[in-house]
Amino acid sequence: MIAVVSGQDLIDAGMPQGRWFGQALAAANRMLGEGASMEQALDMARSFQPAPTLPLQTADEIVIYSNISAENAFEQQNVEKVNATMRALVRTPVVRAAAIMPDACPSGPVGTIPVGGVVASEAIHPGMHSADICCSMAISVFPGTDPKSLLDAVHAVTHFGPGGRARDSQIKPSVETLSAFQQNPYLRGPALDAAIAHFATQGDGNHFGYVGALKSTGATVLVTHHGSRAPGAHLYTAGMKAADRFRQELSPETLRENAWIPADTREGEDYWNALQIVRHWTKENHYTLHDMAAERLSAKVTDRFWNEHNFVFRKADGLFYHGKGATPAFDGWAGDATDLTIIPLNMAEPVLIVRGSNAPHGLGFSPHGAGRNFSRTAHLRRLAEEYGADARGLSPNNMAAIIAKETPGLDVRFFSDDADVSELPSAYKNAAAVRAQIEAYGLAEVVDEVIPYG
């Protein structure tokens, strides 16, 4: 009689029954048929046994450093929501610490990392850097340049809104960057195509081009704000799918938004490398726009630097530090890091140039801006109530009045000529309060400011 390994044999050998039994039994019996012993066949079956799943942590098991204070009832509601989502998030088994910045606000279902959130983890969580990978700031100094001329030049060369440039006006990234896309499994195909179509573009939402003057010297500067556009969105989508496969295997109880890719896997290595490639694309994208404006004016750029605030950083402790709307404030946060980073507040306020303090209670981060207390929809509804909109919403006259009231003396332009009042200063937290909290919590030192022109 020919020996056969049965499901009962696996159970008797101490293996928990599951859907994996089918593959295990097929492999074990194949080995028996090839002359292996029953013990060897059972060892083969055991190799198919899934690793034990990781349970959720308790809500008080992980420290959450809070660096935010409420100035009014609306902000108190915001703080409570931010704390609630962080308490749910830190139950993720591989998370080791979290911090909340002064500009924090919810972004998604409870358990989703808030804007203004920092999370230290043993793994990489695509959902914790968001779809707008490497959303970042860049500044170039144009000494002796007329600010209006610079704003005109930027308006002429940049591109905002959904989609990329028309095929006949596309600007290619460097050969080095395109080659890196081609070699990474996460970035071939649609991401590579988008890396060309979306190059030298800035997207939509809260992204901007800002012209002003350094408070310290009076020199004219250009500040741009945008992320990695469609290439980053493609990477995020692929990363979330990979992370969810690991989640289902390793920790089904973990929220899908917090799924992770283990760093010591091939998928983890490829994803980490893809993040660095997209980071390089985004930096190149910023400076290409700055250079195009300089070329249009025959102007000279004397200094520039940049920093991301939606990204993942790996520190010497081996942990991955995810900043979603949080500016790195620790030494050597990247190979191209300077000791300065950029924090915008709103279009009518100075952009802050800061030096990070590497505060432990901030996990080495500072805020990325002023943050929101209300969603865009809620803010528009409040404006409509204040300015007496009709059923169709705010009229052009109402919008013009709001813009004039909130940005007096500034040259404010909208690329599509369709004013988006959900991005005006009243949409954001009080800039002075956020700045005061940066100082009160010791998250960064303001060393200069960019005074707005437009």
Side-chain angles (χ1 to χ4, degrees):
M1 181 176 179
I2 301 174
V4 176
V5 182
S6 67
Q8 189 60 49
D9 291 328
L10 303 191
I11 294 170
D12 291 344
M15 301 181 214
Q17 190 171 0
R19 286 184 297 178
W20 63 278
F21 264 28
Q23 289 180 302
L25 289 169
N29 283 306
R30 188 162 53 248
M31 281 196 69
L32 280 180
E34 295 171 353
S37 67
M38 178 62 76
E39 184 177 353
Q40 289 172 323
L42 289 174
D43 285 342
M44 168 58 74
R46 194 172 284 109
S47 70
F48 285 82
Q49 182 175 331
T53 60
L54 298 171
L56 297 179
Q57 303 180 110
T58 60
D60 59 354
E61 200 169 338
I62 300 298
V63 64
I64 302 173
Y65 298 101
S66 183
N67 302 279
I68 187 171
S69 301
E71 300 288 325
N72 53 51
F74 293 114
E75 291 191 4
Q76 183 58 40
Q77 292 176 13
N78 175 74
V79 170
E80 290 171 0
K81 290 177 181 178
V82 167
N83 283 325
T85 200
M86 272 300 207
R87 284 194 299 272
L89 180 151
V90 298
R91 300 196 66 193
T92 306
V94 290
V95 167
R96 294 294 166 260
I100 298 168
M101 296 291 107
D103 58 337
C105 54
S107 178
V110 173
T112 304
I113 187 173
V115 175
V118 181
V119 174
S121 174
E122 294 178 355
I124 306 170
H125 303 257
M128 293 187 192
H129 57 54
S130 84
D132 196 10
I133 299 174
C134 207
C135 191
S136 46
M137 308 292 305
I139 185 170
S140 290
V141 181
F142 290 72
T145 300
D146 171 61
K148 181 181 183 303
S149 298
L150 180 54
L151 192 60
D152 289 342
V154 175
H155 200 163
V157 302
T158 192
H159 174 96
F160 282 92
R165 290 179 180 265
R167 185 173 291 275
D168 60 356
S169 61
Q170 289 177 352
I171 301 165
K172 283 191 175 183
S174 66
V175 172
E176 174 191 11
T177 299
L178 290 178
S179 176
F181 268 78
Q182 291 168 338
Q183 294 174 36
N184 186 282
Y186 281 102
L187 297 176
R188 300 183 191 122
L192 174 59
D193 294 339
I196 298 172
H198 283 230
F199 195 66
T201 72
Q202 294 192 251
D204 54 11
N206 65 347
H207 298 151
F208 59 76
Y210 176 113
V211 171
L214 286 176
K215 184 177 181 180
S216 59
T217 66
T220 301
V221 300
L222 168 62
V223 181
T224 49
H225 174 214
H226 63 75
S228 54
R229 306 286 285 115
H234 284 297
L235 175 59
Y236 166 80
T237 299
M240 286 298 290
K241 288 179 180 177
D244 196 54
R245 289 194 295 270
F246 282 107
R247 182 190 67 84
Q248 293 178 45
E249 177 184 342
L250 301 175
S251 181
E253 291 182 299
T254 289
L255 295 173
R256 187 181 184 280
E257 293 83 2
N258 299 326
W260 71 84
I261 304 176
D264 58 356
T265 62
R266 179 61 184 269
E267 291 93 332
E269 292 176 2
D270 287 340
Y271 191 77
W272 177 253
N273 289 333
L275 286 172
Q276 311 317 308
I277 294 166
V278 164
R279 179 184 188 274
H280 183 83
W281 182 96
T282 308
K283 179 182 179 181
E284 192 175 320
N285 194 33
H286 276 288
Y287 288 150
T288 294
L289 291 170
H290 292 215
D291 290 342
M292 290 168 68
E295 182 178 357
R296 189 175 184 89
L297 295 173
S298 299
K300 182 179 181 182
V301 173
T302 58
D303 191 19
R304 61 177 30 164
F305 58 92
W306 87 304
N307 65 268
E308 59 269 63
H309 50 235
N310 272 14
F311 206 60
V312 189
F313 307 85
R314 191 168 198 176
K315 293 189 182 181
D317 61 8
L319 296 180
F320 293 89
Y321 287 74
H322 303 70
K324 180 180 176 182
T327 300
F330 57 95
D331 293 339
W333 47 268
D336 57 359
T338 70
D339 64 336
L340 300 177
T341 51
I342 309 161
I343 301 178
L345 296 171
N346 65 56
M347 67 174 69
E349 293 286 340
V351 169
L352 306 181
I353 298 175
V354 308
R355 181 174 289 114
S357 62
N358 195 22
H361 52 274
L363 297 182
F365 286 76
S366 64
H368 86 305
R372 288 177 175 268
N373 281 328
F374 307 100
S375 68
R376 285 182 172 84
T377 301
H379 178 66
L380 289 172
R381 185 166 58 247
R382 285 165 58 85
L383 287 177
E385 292 171 356
E386 180 180 352
Y387 285 85
D390 60 26
R392 294 168 295 178
L394 291 164
S395 70
N397 287 339
N398 281 341
M399 289 187 179
I402 296 169
I403 294 169
K405 178 181 176 182
E406 295 198 25
T407 62
L410 299 181
D411 183 348
V412 177
R413 310 178 187 182
F414 294 89
F415 187 79
S416 64
D417 293 324
D418 183 13
D420 181 6
V421 293
S422 72
E423 285 300 328
L424 290 174
S426 60
Y428 290 87
K429 294 184 179 183
N430 181 280
V434 172
R435 182 168 177 170
Q437 288 180 37
I438 292 173
E439 181 178 355
Y441 289 107
L443 300 174
E445 173 195 4
V446 179
V447 299
D448 206 346
E449 301 175 24
V450 182
I451 308 303
Y453 169 81

